[in-house]
Amino acid sequence: YIHYNKLKSHLKTQHTNGVWSPQDDKNFVNQIEMELKKVYTFVQVRQKALISRIDYCESVLRDYKEIPKTRATAYDSVADSLAEILIDVDDLAKFHGLNLAGFEKIVKKHDKWTGGDLKSYYFGRLLDLYPLDKQRFDVMIVRISDMHDLCRLYGNPRSTNAYSQGGDQTAFERATNKYWIHPDHITEVKAIILLHLPVHVFNQKKQYESKDAAVSSVYYDNENFDLYQGRLERAKGAEAIRIRWYGQSDELNDDVYIERKTHHAAWLNDKSVKDRFRLKESQVNDFISGAYSADNFKRDLEKKGKMDQISIADNYFVAKGIQDSIKRKNLKPMCRVFYNRTAFQLPGDQRLRISLDSNLTFIKEDHMDGKQRR
């Protein structure tokens, strides 16, 4: 662990004595760097050890596939090993979080008591050298989830369909419950849930990476915040309109979802619904401005010939409704939201999904006051 009490005591003593020379500051910064290197290296070593244990379980299950009549007890044994690994992942995550908070707190105390600016050096230079803040555990959790689900089914793979993998379904009837989870308990809650529901990986075309957990959204509203007020008041027909993308946007991942949530939608017997359609990133600005109309979108879908007429009509209905709202209500991008999401769902069964979001960041869009704010 970070020697937090030792660092704090040293700061307090020097501050009380009213002496804090440039050499004292240099020595203190060196101590912070040594402590950060120590903790970062420790977490790296422990992660590698956990990955080795996960690799071993994976190799055992791979051998089981070659033995058609592997006994259920063999899968149960691997499931028990995976549960033990989960406990250790949770312990390491809590250790990591506690130390990360310790470094941030001691840096803050240094600047408060000495009037210096260790914060900039810590978040710049030191975390570049030893990126403790970028160490993640989700990749291990996803791998454990996949194997635990295989053990639960005793080697029989689950069936999947396009909807379960984030296909082109346009409308989702919504009934949701939301809960706050203390940051200290996030990994523990993930571990408990995955024993009952597997982790849902949105992009099945590639191996899961930490960056795949990212969800980015831009919410639209007008200067009176009419959409926001309507949602707060739960008014009939109240809308939330946003654009959303998953993971890191690049040439291999350039899908953007244009989404609308409607409270008590008139066209759905007053049920609440989330509907959406998909565009390429290069089409989004033209769609928002109206240069690429819903009619253009419909014609392009018909030319591609990959959807039936009912699906095309559903996509057109959503696109036309969103484009009309943007124009009629004078909507503009107002707030950008970023977070990391871990979702849990049975493949092919959308009746229940549990999403756990962490590391939330809210950013004003630039046009609001000329600069971004976090």
Side-chain angles (χ1 to χ4, degrees):
Y1 289 90
I2 176 179
H3 285 157
Y4 181 83
N5 288 336
K6 179 181 176 182
L7 291 168
K8 180 182 175 182
S9 177
H10 178 63
L11 260 180
K12 190 173 183 179
T13 299
Q14 295 295 101
H15 177 68
T16 302
N17 293 336
V19 179
W20 189 259
S21 68
Q23 187 60 45
D24 290 329
D25 203 61
K26 184 178 180 180
N27 292 339
F28 187 81
V29 172
N30 288 338
Q31 289 182 57
I32 292 286
E33 181 171 350
M34 290 172 59
E35 292 294 299
L36 182 61
K37 180 181 179 181
K38 177 189 71 176
V39 173
Y40 174 77
T41 303
F42 180 87
V43 174
Q44 288 286 83
V45 170
R46 289 298 184 269
Q47 279 186 317
K48 288 180 181 178
L50 288 168
I51 290 171
S52 294
R53 291 165 64 188
I54 294 170
D55 289 342
Y56 176 75
C57 289
E58 195 170 59
S59 67
V60 171
L61 290 177
R62 198 179 301 119
D63 291 341
Y64 286 175
K65 286 183 179 180
E66 299 174 4
I67 306 174
K69 295 184 179 180
T70 301
R71 293 182 178 181
T73 53
Y75 283 103
D76 289 340
S77 177
V78 175
D80 289 342
S81 296
L82 291 170
E84 291 175 0
I85 296 172
L86 263 180
I87 293 171
D88 291 341
V89 170
D90 180 45
D91 285 343
L92 184 60
K94 288 177 178 175
F95 169 88
H96 173 267
L98 182 62
N99 279 278
L100 192 60
F103 280 110
E104 292 178 5
K105 192 171 181 179
I106 198 67
V107 166
K108 185 177 180 180
K109 284 188 179 297
H110 169 276
D111 290 358
K112 179 181 178 180
W113 288 353
T114 69
D117 186 19
L118 179 54
K119 179 180 178 180
S120 297
Y121 185 72
Y122 170 75
F123 283 101
R125 171 68 175 167
L126 291 184
L127 284 180
D128 279 345
L129 288 173
Y130 310 106
L132 185 69
D133 58 330
K134 292 181 174 60
Q135 288 175 314
R136 297 284 185 266
F137 307 92
D138 279 348
V139 173
M140 289 189 288
I141 289 174
V142 170
R143 290 184 63 191
I144 292 171
S145 172
D146 290 343
M147 287 187 283
H148 192 274
D149 196 45
L150 189 64
C151 291
R152 184 191 290 117
L153 299 171
Y154 299 120
N156 300 309
R158 289 190 183 276
S159 60
T160 59
N161 60 33
Y163 287 174
S164 71
Q165 308 308 331
D168 288 324
Q169 185 176 8
T170 56
F172 309 82
E173 290 185 32
R174 296 178 61 82
T176 62
N177 292 306
K178 297 183 180 181
Y179 307 90
W180 289 104
I181 297 174
H182 193 284
D184 291 349
H185 302 149
I186 287 175
T187 304
E188 182 179 358
V189 171
K190 289 179 183 179
I192 293 170
I193 295 173
L194 76 78
L195 296 177
H196 304 276
L197 280 177
V199 174
H200 173 76
V201 177
F202 185 80
N203 188 351
Q204 294 283 328
K205 297 178 182 179
K206 60 185 285 295
Q207 187 173 355
Y208 184 84
E209 303 174 74
S210 293
K211 64 183 180 182
D212 295 332
V215 179
S216 303
S217 304
V218 176
Y219 285 83
Y220 282 71
D221 212 327
N222 54 36
E223 293 182 357
N224 297 323
F225 293 96
D226 289 334
L227 267 60
Y228 179 68
Q229 290 297 330
R231 298 290 293 185
L232 282 181
E233 295 166 4
R234 301 180 68 82
K236 183 176 179 180
E239 292 181 319
I241 292 177
R242 70 189 178 201
I243 64 173
R244 168 169 287 187
W245 61 98
Y246 300 88
Q248 180 176 323
S249 181
D250 52 36
E251 64 274 6
L252 299 177
N253 181 33
D254 62 347
D255 289 336
V256 177
Y257 290 90
I258 316 298
E259 300 184 346
R260 173 182 62 182
K261 293 181 181 179
T262 308
H263 188 61
H264 295 324
W267 65 88
L268 203 64
N269 297 321
D270 283 346
K271 294 180 180 178
S272 294
V273 63
K274 181 184 87 172
D275 46 21
R276 70 181 187 181
F277 65 96
R278 184 169 56 181
L279 292 176
K280 293 300 181 182
E281 188 273 335
S282 59
Q283 298 173 307
V284 172
N285 285 339
D286 284 344
F287 175 82
I288 297 298
S289 69
Y292 182 68
S293 69
D295 291 330
N296 297 142
F297 174 58
K298 180 182 178 182
R299 283 194 289 270
D300 286 346
L301 292 179
E302 291 171 338
K303 287 179 183 177
K304 290 178 182 177
K306 295 181 179 180
M307 287 186 185
D308 57 44
Q309 287 302 313
I310 294 177
S311 296
I312 291 175
D314 288 342
N315 274 265
Y316 174 73
F317 173 77
V318 179
K320 186 71 165 60
I322 292 176
Q323 204 161 50
D324 287 348
S325 288
I326 291 174
K327 183 178 180 180
R328 178 166 42 87
K329 299 177 181 179
N330 194 28
L331 304 182
K332 298 177 181 179
M334 302 295 278
C335 179
R336 185 170 303 221
V337 181
F338 170 86
Y339 48 80
N340 289 313
R341 166 168 289 181
T342 303
F344 303 85
Q345 176 188 309
L346 290 176
D349 187 348
Q350 297 216 40
R351 291 174 298 175
L352 173 65
R353 176 182 289 183
I354 299 175
S355 299
L356 199 160
D357 301 330
S358 57
N359 301 321
L360 274 72
T361 303
F362 296 84
I363 309 170
K364 275 187 177 182
E365 287 295 326
D366 287 349
H367 73 87
M368 294 286 290
D369 57 4
K371 58 185 177 181
Q372 288 187 344
R373 290 182 180 174
R374 292 178 183 265

